[in-house]
Amino acid sequence: MRINFKLLLGSALLTLSHGALAQMNIFACEPEYAALAKELAPDARIYSATTAMQDPHQVQARPSLIAKMRQADLVICAGAELEVGWLPMLQMKAANVQVRSTDKGLFFATEHVKTLDQMSNVDRSMGDVHRLGNPHVHFSPPRMLTIAQALTDKLIQLDEKQSAGYQQQLSRFTARWQLAMTQWQIKARGLQGMKVIAYHSSFRYLFDFANIEQVADLEPKPGLPPTSSHLASLLKRADKGDIAAVIIASYQDQRGANWLAEKSNLPVIVLPLSVGGNEQSNDLFSLYDSTLDLLTQAYRAQK
């Protein structure tokens, strides 16, 4: 029997094509949610709109982002208005009705947990504040477990045939996360009572988890860069001698922090805001390990 190799090759390519089409396309607004999606849907095509070296508040609606969102089956974002300055524009230009509503392929992490620092009244004089609460919930281990469950439910809603697989991935992630959380709690206990000056409220949930007190902010108002008069007031606060370090995120301008550190003889700790923020933070687990280790080193040095 004569074998038509061209026909077999064509059939194989067609099969591969159908398999690729069956893969879910996931657009993550921030790298922490790309990392979570990878834990729960490892076979999906996952794209992160930002990196840990970018301010997630300020993103340009570039053609490449529009193209990725146009192809997306699921868009995962922090929410709580973190992306309000750029996500609606991307949604409009992408013209993908699938990812415009949380009833379909849009997922906001903060809608599934209670956020800290919610405000009933907000106006422009207060700076860049979030009425719906602090959106950086990925630094709360218990909240991330809740978000993982909600995201799994969303994945199953969009891809019901793979329900068992998603549940299995969630079980694996939950077991690993709970084990890691025990270790993070031990590390956090060693940080209790630590006082820091930090840039913005980026690490609000991490500080809450570890009982670290942010006594002052390098920003005079949220979203505004440090001024000379504000830095001078921070220097007076630092002179009390109870501050362990000045904290900034990997993407933030270090000039104000460096000035304050030099004048007050305090260390500047650059923490990764998300996965990829330093060489050690390759996934959600190592992100926590790295941030807690950096804080521990600074606190021990102060003592």
Side-chain angles (χ1 to χ4, degrees), residues 17-95:
S17 175
H18 283 319
L21 288 173
Q23 264 186 338
M24 186 176 292
N25 288 309
I26 297 176
F27 180 107
C29 290
E30 294 86 23
E32 57 265 27
Y33 295 111
L36 182 60
K38 187 176 181 180
E39 296 284 350
L40 302 176
D43 295 330
R45 292 193 185 96
I46 303 167
Y47 177 81
S48 179
T50 59
T51 73
M53 308 308 291
Q54 290 178 266
D55 184 347
H57 299 82
Q58 300 175 9
V59 178
Q60 297 297 319
R62 303 188 307 274
S64 59
L65 293 186
I66 295 168
K68 290 293 184 181
M69 182 167 283
R70 186 172 291 134
Q71 298 165 1
D73 302 300
L74 172 61
V75 169
I76 308 169
C77 299
E81 300 179 344
L82 176 62
E83 305 91 357
V84 70
W86 55 275
L87 180 59
M89 178 65 71
L90 270 184
Q91 289 173 311
M92 181 186 72
K93 291 190 174 183

Side-chain angles (χ1 to χ4, degrees), residues 222-242:
L224 299 179
T227 61
S228 55
S229 60
H230 182 64
L231 287 171
S233 70
L234 294 179
L235 181 58
K236 289 182 180 179
R237 177 64 187 84
D239 285 343
K240 291 184 178 182
D242 59 344

Side-chain angles (χ1 to χ4, degrees), residues 106-126:
L106 179 61
F107 181 90
F108 287 127
T110 51
E111 289 188 355
H112 302 277
V113 293
K114 184 177 180 180
T115 57
L116 298 175
D117 305 330
Q118 295 183 27
M119 298 183 177
S120 55
N121 296 305
V122 173
D123 60 61
R124 291 185 179 180
S125 69
M126 300 168 69

